[in-house]
């Protein structure tokens, strides 16, 4: 007999998207259950870099510092576009984290799971989903030995999403044309061709003997190896990666003196590009790779997944708790689908430029593109695109700042100096009054915090209303605007409950 469980939200998948979402829901007081089919976490580097905007979001919740303690030690180096040899410069975007932070994905997942559980979320491993039934009131999920009823289900179960398949939802796009191997390995001997320290992506890639490869040092004898060759696409995706296969690639690219010791784990991946048409199907929502897949270029996947969760978390909590304005939950799709589409678009472009065996025309295009990347404006544009710092949502406010991310500026409040990021640990929206224009008797909802402060930076407005995910949804230059549009914006964009 199946055990019966009820919860407010069930999340399928304990990867970065699912665990980040669990953290956000638990922070808002939503009863949350995460079902993960794997009995234990695979300690694989996989998506091993946190981009600037993701770092900012994690810092808003107090999650960045524990992650930095797990980060690989390396010299700061800018990100890349298509592995071209010009580092991307994020400093013009006014961020405290201008360089990608190298942290193995499993370490990120472990830290997120610890936080989610501390916030009262439950994570059940070894729970493979086999059935999903949805109606207007909720969702029933059948998994190993249990039947779970929840008001909402969020599928964060990867590119081969079981939930998506059970619902019969198409996953349109382009199948993979190239296949590669990703492996965490230990080397027992190295040649002079093996990199000794982490550097820019362009310095870590090599070719030889018909192979292309990227070998990233992780400390000691540990390395992250990615490689491919012509004809690899004929190998089944689930075929085991053999010791001999990895050895052949290593010695072809890094010389016969390079000896493989241990393979900690390995997997195959392709350059397939797909995206759901809708991120919501009634009471079921999709985030991370369950909603979109793309070539793994530029460190986008993990970051896109975490940012999906940040956008969805506070909106889903408001819907569960009965305080969401009409259309708030649907705005998750409206806002995040174009972001996913943009990542699919630019990773497709990178796939052409990063071809290890470019045609004469592509080689010429690469040369032109490298020259363009050396121009400050072009570099700034692509740095903002790849880091997520340039993202702006199309919101309804009239102020020119509406929809922008808010930089983590220094503030001085009555309690003393602080930073903007420190105001968001509760997961609430923040009404920041920088010029004393917000009326003292203004009645705000419980999950909108009024903070009166001064700032040495010009923030472009006297008062700013910042969503829980750090994006501006209202701003005013004077006290008159506070009386005219502030409360209606709160009721229409954030919460209806006073």
């Amino acid at each position: 007999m199946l055990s019966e469980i009820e919860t407010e939200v069930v999340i399928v998948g304990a990867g970065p998207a699912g665990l980040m979402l669990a953290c956000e829901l638990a922070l808002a007081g939503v009863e949350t259950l995460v079902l993960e089919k794997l009995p234990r976490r695979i300690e694989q580097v996989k998506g091993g870099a946190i981009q600037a905007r993701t770092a900012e979001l994690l810092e808003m919740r107090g999650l960045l510092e524990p992650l930095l303690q797990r980060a690989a030690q390396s010299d700061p180096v800018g990100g890349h576009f298509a592995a071209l040899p010009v580092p991307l410069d994020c400093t013009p975007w006014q961020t405290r984290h201008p360089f990608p932070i190298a942290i193995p994905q499993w370490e990120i997942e472990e830290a997120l799971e610890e936080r989610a559980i501390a916030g009262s979320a439950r994570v059940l491993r070894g729970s493979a989903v086999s059935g999903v039934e949805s109606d207007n009131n909720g969702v029933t999920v059948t998994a190993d030995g249990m039947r779970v009823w929840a008001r909402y289900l969020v599928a964060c179960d990867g590119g081969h999403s079981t939930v998506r398949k059970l619902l019969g939802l198409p996953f349109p796009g382009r199948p993979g044309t190239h296949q590669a191997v990703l492996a965490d390995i230990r080397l027992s001997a190295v040649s002079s061709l093996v990199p000794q320290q982490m550097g820019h992506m362009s310095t870590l890639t090599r070719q030889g003997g018909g192979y292309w490869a990227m070998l990233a040092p992780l400390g000691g004898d540990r390395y992250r190896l990615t490689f491919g060759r012509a004809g690899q696409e004929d190998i089944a995706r689930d075929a085991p990666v053999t010791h001999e296969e990895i050895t052949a690639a290593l010695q072809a690219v890094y010389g016969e003196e390079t000896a493989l010791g241990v393979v900690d784990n390995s997997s195959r991946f392709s350059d397939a590009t797909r995206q759901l048409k809708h991120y919501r199907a009634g009471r079921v929502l999709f985030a991370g790779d369950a909603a979109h897949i793309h070539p793994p270029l530029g460190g986008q996947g993990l970051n896109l997944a975490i940012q999906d969760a940040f956008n969805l978390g506070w909106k889903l909590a408001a819907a569960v708790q009965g305080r969401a304005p009409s259309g708030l939950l649907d705005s998750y799709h409206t806002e995040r689908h174009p972001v996913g589409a943009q990542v699919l678009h630019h990773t497709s472009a990178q796939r052409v430029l990063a071809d290890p065996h470019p045609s004469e025309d592509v080689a010429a295009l690469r040369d032109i593109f490298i020259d363009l990347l050396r121009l400050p404006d072009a570099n700034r544009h692509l740095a903002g695109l790849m880091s997520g710092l340039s993202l702006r949502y199309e919101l309804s406010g009239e102020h020119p700042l509406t929809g922008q991310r808010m930089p983590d500026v220094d503030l001085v409040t009555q309690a003393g100096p602080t930073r903007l990021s420190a105001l968001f640990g509760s997961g609430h929206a923040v009404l920041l009054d920088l010029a004393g224009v917000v009326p003292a008797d203004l009645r705000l909802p419980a999950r909108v915090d009024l903070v009166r402060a001064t700032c040495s930076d010009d923030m472009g407005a006297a008062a700013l209303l910042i969503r829980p995910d750090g994006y501006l949804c209202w701003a005013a230059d004077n006290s008159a605007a506070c009386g005219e549009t502030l409360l209606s914006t709160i009721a229409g964009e954030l919460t209806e409950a006073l």
Side-chain angles (χ1 to χ4, degrees):
M1 179 179 292
L2 297 176
S3 61
E4 302 284 343
I5 300 175
E6 286 194 12
T7 189
E8 290 180 313
V9 174
V10 60
I11 298 169
V12 179
L19 292 171
M20 187 72 252
L21 182 60
C23 290
E24 289 293 278
L25 293 173
L27 184 62
V30 174
E31 187 180 24
T32 304
L33 174 65
V34 181
L35 302 178
E36 168 56 52
K37 68 179 180 180
L38 296 178
R40 63 186 63 86
R41 181 178 296 109
I42 297 176
E43 295 186 0
Q44 189 172 18
V45 174
K46 292 181 72 174
I50 295 175
Q51 297 281 9
R53 182 53 182 158
T54 305
E56 291 180 342
L57 293 171
L58 292 168
E59 189 157 38
M60 289 167 59
R61 299 294 190 264
L63 280 161
L64 184 61
E65 186 56 37
L67 284 172
L68 289 177
Q69 295 174 10
R70 302 167 180 251
Q73 298 301 311
S74 62
D75 294 331
V77 63
H80 71 94
F81 188 86
L84 297 176
V86 182
L88 298 178
D89 181 9
C90 287
T91 54
W93 290 101
Q94 195 181 354
T95 180
R96 296 178 187 267
H97 310 287
F99 306 107
I101 302 167
I103 308 176
Q105 181 169 314
W106 71 267
E107 298 252 32
I108 297 171
E109 292 174 358
E110 186 173 76
L112 293 178
E113 185 169 343
E114 289 173 359
R115 173 63 66 87
I117 292 172
S120 77
R122 291 178 293 165
V123 179
L124 297 182
R125 294 187 171 273
S127 301
V129 170
S130 57
V132 175
E133 299 176 13
S134 178
D135 58 30
N136 292 333
N137 298 315
V139 183
T140 300
V141 178
T142 304
D144 293 331
M146 73 185 84
R147 183 162 49 232
V148 181
W149 182 90
R151 295 183 62 187
Y152 290 93
L153 181 158
V154 185
C156 302
D157 53 343
H160 299 285
S161 170
T162 297
V163 174
R164 193 183 63 232
K165 293 174 181 176
L166 288 170
L167 294 178
L169 297 176
F171 200 31
R174 181 171 54 195
T177 57
H178 299 284
Q179 192 176 118
V181 170
L182 174 64
D184 294 338
I185 63 174
R186 299 174 188 267
L187 298 180
S188 57
V190 299
S191 73
S192 60
L193 299 177
V194 173
Q196 299 302 305
Q197 60 184 11
M198 190 74 74
H200 189 259
M201 181 69 70
S202 60
T203 69
L204 300 175
T205 56
R206 291 186 60 84
Q207 295 184 45
Y211 289 87
W212 62 266
M214 181 183 72
L215 194 59
L218 302 176
D221 61 352
R222 298 173 59 244
Y223 293 81
R224 179 189 192 225
L225 172 67
T226 310
F227 70 89
R229 62 178 174 81
Q232 224 168 9
E233 58 273 10
D234 296 331
I235 303 174
R237 278 287 305 276
D238 57 355
V241 180
T242 66
H243 195 282
E244 292 75 19
E245 186 179 357
I246 295 175
T247 295
L250 279 171
Q251 295 191 345
V253 179
Y254 298 99
E256 293 186 1
E257 314 96 284
T258 302
L260 176 62
V262 176
V263 180
D264 290 331
N265 51 67
S266 59
S267 60
R268 301 183 192 276
F269 66 91
S270 79
D271 59 349
T273 298
R274 298 184 183 277
Q275 185 179 30
L276 275 174
K277 288 187 176 180
H278 302 284
Y279 285 8
R280 180 182 181 187
R283 292 272 172 163
V284 181
L285 298 109
F286 295 83
D289 286 356
H292 41 68
I293 59 171
H294 53 82
L297 290 161
Q300 299 295 289
L302 178 149
N303 294 273
L304 189 60
I306 289 177
Q307 292 177 40
D308 281 350
F310 259 91
N311 186 285
L312 176 58
W314 66 275
K315 297 175 180 179
L316 183 54
V320 169
Q321 294 168 347
R323 50 184 176 81
S326 174
L328 180 65
L329 190 54
D330 285 331
S331 74
Y332 164 64
H333 166 83
T334 303
E335 293 177 2
R336 293 304 298 173
H337 192 276
V339 178
Q342 184 181 57
V343 170
L344 266 63
H345 188 65
H346 71 65
T347 51
S348 293
Q350 290 183 76
R351 177 169 58 179
V352 174
L353 292 168
D355 189 335
H357 306 291
S359 66
E360 184 177 346
D361 290 344
V362 171
L365 179 62
R366 282 173 55 92
D367 290 341
I368 296 296
F369 219 93
I370 290 169
D371 288 340
L372 289 173
L373 276 174
R374 294 192 174 108
L375 300 177
D377 285 348
N379 193 296
R380 177 183 183 275
H381 171 74
L382 287 177
L385 184 70
M386 298 296 288
S387 65
L389 295 172
S390 63
L391 172 60
R392 179 173 185 166
Y393 292 125
E394 295 296 327
L395 305 183
S396 59
E398 295 181 359
H399 197 281
L401 294 177
T402 304
Q404 290 188 3
R405 108 187 205 279
M406 297 307 299
D408 186 15
V409 295
D410 291 310
L411 301 171
V412 178
T413 68
Q414 189 174 12
T418 188
R419 285 163 50 181
L420 184 66
S421 60
L423 306 179
F424 290 89
S426 64
H428 294 181
V430 171
L431 175 58
L432 184 61
D433 184 1
L434 296 172
V437 297
V438 176
D441 60 351
L442 184 68
R443 186 183 175 205
L444 293 172
R447 297 187 66 84
V448 179
D449 299 337
L450 173 60
V451 177
R452 300 185 191 274
T454 58
C455 180
S456 59
D457 294 298
D458 181 6
M459 297 298 289
L464 308 108
L465 181 61
I466 308 166
R467 304 190 324 185
D469 58 352
Y471 290 88
L472 192 75
C473 61
W474 174 91
D477 298 321
N478 51 56
S479 57
C482 293
E484 293 170 359
T485 60
L486 176 55
L487 290 180
S488 62
T489 299
I490 290 173
E493 300 282 348
L494 296 174
T495 178
E496 290 185 330
L498 284 173

